[in-house]
Amino acid sequence: MKELRLMKGNEAVAEAAIRAGCDGYFGYPITPQSEIMEYLMAQQPEKTTGMVVLQAESEVAAINMVYGGASCGKRVMTSSSSPGISLKQEGISYIAGAELPCVIVNVVRGGPGLGTIQPSQSDYFQSVKGGGHGDYRLIVLAPASVQEMADFAGLGFDLAFKYRNPVLILSDGVIGQMMEKVELDEFKPRFTKEEIAKNTPWATFGKTDDRERNIITSLDLDSAKQEKHVTHLSEKYKLMEENEVRFEEFQTEDAEYLIVAYGSSARISQKAVDIARAKGIKVGLLRPITLFPFPKKPLAELAKQVKGILSVEMSLGQMVEDVKLAVECKVKVEHFGRYGGIIPTPDEVVAALEQKIIGG
Amino acid sequence: MSDIITKEQIRQPENLVYSKTKLLTDKALSYCPGCGHGTAHRIVMEVIEELSAQSETIGIAPVGCSVLAYEFMNIDMQQAAHGRAPALATAVKRLMPEKYVFTYQGDGDLAAIGTAETIHACNRGENITIIFINNGIYGMTGGQMAPTTLPNMKASTCPYGRDVATMGNPLKITELIAQLPGVHYVTRQAVHTPGNVRKTKKAVRKAFDLQKENKGLTFVEIVSNCNSGWKMTPVQSNKWMEENMFPFYPLGDIKVDGQLIK
Ligand SMILES: Cc1ncc(C[n+]2csc(CCOP(=O)(O)OP(=O)(O)O)c2C)c(N)n1
Ligand code: SF4
């Protein structure tokens, strides 16, 4: 039976992780996501599902604990906010290189530097273009509600294991802190030893006589082999682009203009669409749910229909570059954003649409 | 003359007194001839074989000359980012407490870039074993100054010798972590003579046995040579190690049964 609760986004992702059969959480406090570890520590899942919760000495240690746990075929996760996610980048690159499954949550705050503790979406580039060193991609899920914070924990683990790839839940301070009704999944058991041996035969759970030793590494000193490995990674990313694109359309059927927005900007933009429509402007919204893989095809389709596209983000304009690439400059694309922790109002979005797209 | 056995007789199974442990692969070691890493590998693997623990052990390799330890150790292994091995080991042990978990790290890995991970894994009293190879230099990257480089010792980034006034003093991290209540057993050994090899093997065995008893963190430092980095022959390097490294890093137990020695 599903269970209904009123929760913060941060609490919802934590509770959902326990229910998704998560084996271990490793984190370090930072606003605006500290409730994730606080909630887990208060729940004491060690005593119920057996899930380990550990406060690490730093984000660097936390992501490397995730590397260690994921190497054992376990469902492991970490969470942080922007400055902490920057610290994790080395570990994330290693995890992607060694092809390990895990879930990472970034409840984004404004930057650069220590920036602000207020919400932002200025980590888009870091999330979808790499972030750490080397050629790699994360699957990036962008929740726009507390419900999706919960849903993406389980979905994140499923995708991570399907592709042996880290999954990033790219949230923001609004979604993390706000309270909404959420429907929670039933408890899913943690993997048994037998399941780990069967489903993740590559993992390090102790070498037995019936198999070769398992090695988790991202190193290959032989460049030919390393090139082959990176090619293999690229094929995986191609498969993700073919099979895992997720998005939502809102009032696009008759739209003459389009807003593209994810996360809390999408919530604001949805309201902006209502306001604009009341004024007689036929505008629709496309909300990418996966930022990698990016919904290029539906955008290219809509580009044939609309006269202009406004990309709305709480940043100086990052996703707008991918929107432009997707529509191959066949239609006008502009960016509107507030940043530094300022959240745009729906009226500001409508005004930007009128000035930059309709009037411009 | 009759009691001298021939070459052919030596190869007979009944005359075999020593053979390589099955827990070392047949891959030729990538270490410089004369380097202590290979002996240290053998000791750790022999101990795991004696414990019949091949299927019960997860090893963590560092970044350093022993980055490829997983090529030689015939057990399940993970390769960590530079300095992060104790963080990996922490999670592995917490998630599979029934396993033996060890890290194998050089001085740059453990006492410079990974200082935080080392100290905090020790302080949490993780039930893991840390094998620490202290050769006073960065071997892999070509002989740069390490946190454990001796005062006035030359390295490629201190070509006139380590000037402690500007470069800091060598870090006795082993004595430092021995202070922490989470750490149960700390010893400093060497592997350059048969006698020292025997002592080191005993120490590693003890560390693994204590790990099984969940006593807390066990830590075996091996003061070792880096003949290439020190720019010496293997024989010279061992002599230099005895004369210079051992006075600064004296061999012997530092903490036993949770009690500091002295
Ligand atoms: C983040 C990062 N910084 C630097 C390096 C380069 N590097 C590789 S090994 C090493 C030093 C290793 O020295 P030590 O730990 O003493 O081991 P040894 O090679 O002497 O056995 C360095 C600096 C790296 N691989 N990663
Ligand atoms: S460089 Fe030094 S530590 Fe590395 S293998 Fe050679 S002798 Fe050993």
Side-chain angles (χ1 to χ4, degrees), chain B residues 14-29:
Chain B
E14 62 269 25
N15 291 327
L16 205 66
V17 288
Y18 177 79
S19 68
K20 183 170 76 79
T21 162
K22 285 198 268 317
L23 267 61
L24 281 176
T25 64
D26 290 332
K27 178 133 186 154
L29 291 175

Side-chain angles (χ1 to χ4, degrees), chain B residues 30-32 35-37 65 135 137 139-140 225-229:
Chain B
S30 52
Y31 303 109
C32 307
C35 172
H37 268 305
C65 278
N135 56 18
I137 206 154
M140 189 191 206
N225 63 338
C226 173
N227 37 287
S228 293

Side-chain angles (χ1 to χ4, degrees), chain A residues 23-24 26 46 52-58 60-62 64-72 74 76 90-91 94 190 193 203-209 211-221, chain B residues 25 27 54-58 60 63 67-82 84 86-92 94-96 98-99 113 116-121 124 126 140:
Chain A
D23 294 293
F26 308 92
E46 266 109 332
V52 170
V53 186
L54 186 74
Q55 179 168 339
E57 61 271 29
S58 68
V60 175
N64 282 284
M65 289 173 184
V66 165
Y67 181 109
S71 299
C72 302
K74 303 280 184 179
V76 286
E90 180 202 40
Y94 274 69
R190 291 168 52 228
K193 275 184 195 171
T204 54
F205 43 84
K207 186 210 169 307
T208 41
D209 290 336
R211 66 161 171 88
E212 288 298 303
R213 68 192 189 286
N214 284 337
I215 298 164
I216 304 296
T217 181
S218 59
L219 173 73
D220 218 317
L221 293 171
Chain B
T25 64
K27 178 133 186 154
Q54 185 184 32
S55 65
E56 300 309 308
T57 308
I58 315 295
I60 318 284
V63 173
V67 64
L68 290 175
Y70 57 77
E71 294 276 2
F72 316 120
M73 297 181 174
N74 192 14
I75 55 170
D76 277 2
M77 289 202 71
Q78 306 178 8
Q79 197 284 309
H82 197 18
R84 318 300 175 207
L88 274 63
T90 294
V92 174
R94 296 274 181 134
L95 293 164
M96 299 194 296
E98 71 283 5
K99 300 289 183 195
I113 195 166
E117 284 76 12
T118 303
I119 288 183
H120 286 278
R124 286 190 302 265
E126 300 293 345
M140 189 191 206

